[in-house]
Amino acid sequence: MTQRVALWQNIKDLLHGEIVQGVWRAGARLPTEADLALRFDVNRHTVRRALQALAEEGLVQPRRGAGVFVRAAPLRYPIGPRTRFRQNLLSAGRTPSRKLLHLSQQSASSAEAKALGLVPGAPVHVMEAISFADDLPISLARSCFCATRFPELGVALRDTNSVTGALANVGVADYLRKSTRLTGQNADPVQARHLQLSTGDALILSEAINVDVTGRPVEFGRTYFVGERVELVLESEDNAAFVT
Amino acid sequence: MTQRVALWQNIKDLLHGEIVQGVWRAGARLPTEADLALRFDVNRHTVRRALQALAEEGLVQPRRGAGVFVRAAPLRYPIGPRTRFRQNLLSAGRTPSRKLLHLSQQSASSAEAKALGLVPGAPVHVMEAISFADDLPISLARSCFCATRFPELGVALRDTNSVTGALANVGVADYLRKSTRLTGQNADPVQARHLQLSTGDALILSEAINVDVTGRPVEFGRTYFVGERVELVLESEDNAAFVT
DNA sequence: TACTATTTGTGCGTATGTATT
DNA sequence: TAATACATACGCACAAATAGT
């Protein structure tokens, strides 16, 4: 029944090798425990023991009901005066993409109005989107723009699927990060689903204000970064503040 | 069958508390898995899951066939010119004791003869003993002394059960550590049994030469310290050398 | 030395709970 | 809602190391 080396140890080593060798890529889902049990012709418990060891090594991460996923090395994400999502990912050698969730015109909340220098209730474009690096969700963002100043921005955001591109289309050739506030959050079930996480997983909420070259606010963004998939790197000493 | 918090989690927390509160002292053996299963009225697997978590926290250590033991905080063991086993333990607030394994007169090996400045084959007293701190094995030592110079030392070692005391009885009122060499070793089954360890556990082999006040070697000692129970602290910069 | 009882380690089978899709 | 997939728990059996006789 038992060998000199435990069965689960062999399976662990084998899967470890396959992950390191790239058979299962970062972020990929492993076959189900049942499938692995079939493949190795062992009981599901034995596979679970192997997966548990891999999880303790930090190589893999199980999500109840979803599967077991290969952990990706965190993405270095510089935050500075010229923070650009696409540029950040390209220079990290990752492929950026965005999935638009919502795009609508609403009346600004008090926080949004204050950030953008508007009166409460003023019309704003609101965009919600998920950002991906190599098809792995990195962040969940909600961006606000003044709809009075940029009436055509909604269309531009939908067409370009890029904040930088859309702002360029409406006459804002450049913008700068004015302030960033970072806080820690736990993913609620909806966020977890969108970001392919488990409920309660750590998120970093970034509340940022971007201004044009004249210093006038153009965007107020609230972005939830996946804590384990990004490493936010602060590059400038402006108004960034850390809050737990 | 399943609660909001897993059964094994509760058991883990409970045992954790009992260990921290001193219900199970450092070095003590916990009840067997079967007993714990009875106590908590759960399956043995459930107890094992809790113990596994405690072991991963480093709070407990299982030994196949022997039991599950509470890990003790490592003992700070200074090594310097005046290294004294009893003194070291007393100043650490631990109770020292020794168990004599062997005491005999033999002919010196070449290494022993060289260390003591004798000719190979010269008669030497050889003592093997286990040292304890609060009844927990700390080290396994083999000491050599010149039997020609100290014919009565064998009796003195048996009577005093102390190197310092025995040497005083034969006219060596004081002695100094001349050299110490430290290497890493793995416990063989015999050592593991004596030291209440598992085979393969890490040991630190200390090979030391003690000299009298005239600089003449009086003792050559080879001591196997239990890696996880002691923290050797070097206090002088004489001939100490570290080898892996 | 050899044997036995004890104790932890591994593995299978089964059932059910819970979260996700 | 239903199906899927991981999480927990029980019971049984045997292997392997240990400790004592």
Side-chain angles (χ1 to χ4, degrees), chain B residues 102-106 124-128 143 145 147 154 158:
Chain B
H102 289 294
L103 183 55
S104 63
Q105 188 167 323
Q106 307 176 3
V124 289
H125 297 292
V126 172
M127 178 183 74
E128 289 192 12
S143 292
F145 310 85
R158 189 178 298 278

Side-chain angles (χ1 to χ4, degrees), chain B residues 19 30 51 54-62 68-71:
Chain B
I19 290 170
L30 292 184
L51 291 174
L54 289 175
E56 279 157 15
E57 288 181 11
L59 208 65
V60 115
Q61 188 181 29
V68 179
F69 298 82
V70 179
R71 287 181 74 123

Side-chain angles (χ1 to χ4, degrees), chain A residues 1 6-8 42-43 45-46 63-65 199:
Chain A
M1 208 68 80
L7 260 183
W8 67 264
V42 297
N43 190 275
H45 284 312
T46 307
R63 285 174 52 214
R64 178 187 295 207
T199 302

